[in-house]
Amino acid sequence: MAGVPQPTELENKSALELASLAPLGDLVLRCGHKVWVVHKAILANKSPWFRQALVGAPNQQGPAGLITIEEFSPAEIESLLEYIYGMIDDNTWARIRGGRSMAQFSMALYDLSDFFEIDELRSYSHRVFVRHLISFASDFQLYAGPYEVDAEEIIKIFEDVYGWDDRSPAVAVIRPVLGMVFSEIQYRLEMGDFRALCEIPGALEDKRTYELEQQQGYPPPL
């Protein structure tokens, strides 16, 4: 996928070579019904979370070591491993997205990368969401009715984000961006569409917070 951050060439070659040598795997990773034989050095190199788990070893069992992950689905962990091992293809992110909208996919990917502390992947997921949202908002502002982008499409993005788990790290990062967009597009919204956004819990508050911060000279939340 274009724009996806890649491991360096050296890391990529090393990871792919080691990944093909399953007997040399020294760690068992389990998530739901899926089990992978992986390599401690590769995971620790890409993820501070794995590094800490392996150094502290509070959840290792057996001679090769075992880490069980319950916070994410097997599909999400498989995609994460493909990223770590430099084996990204079109199915990698499609597996995480499933039936999710682009907004939901971006937030799920952000939460995954935040949990495992992979900064480059976390930044990528944020860029995916911002590009998606800004492209919708820009088209909505530029084209007079009938709009190229319907207000309902933008409202759906807001609903997806504000319907996400409030404990999600992605929420704290993405909601301020929606506050900015709400403020920018409000003059193009029909009264009913404006009310629909105001009725989404938290949306109006984020809009007001953005406008207050702009008055105080804060940079936009991008």
Side-chain angles (χ1 to χ4, degrees), residues 94 96-101 104:
I96 294 180
R97 182 166 182 181
R100 291 165 168 158
S101 67
Q104 292 169 332

Side-chain angles (χ1 to χ4, degrees), residues 44-85:
N45 181 54
K46 294 296 291 185
S47 164
W49 186 92
F50 277 115
R51 189 180 310 128
Q52 180 59 38
L54 292 168
V55 170
N59 50 1
Q60 283 188 247
Q61 303 170 15
L66 168 68
I67 291 182
T68 299
I69 298 174
E70 300 176 345
E71 292 83 358
F72 299 94
S73 71
E76 290 171 324
I77 296 303
E78 186 161 353
S79 293
L80 177 74
L81 291 175
E82 287 181 0
Y83 172 77
I84 289 175
Y85 276 83

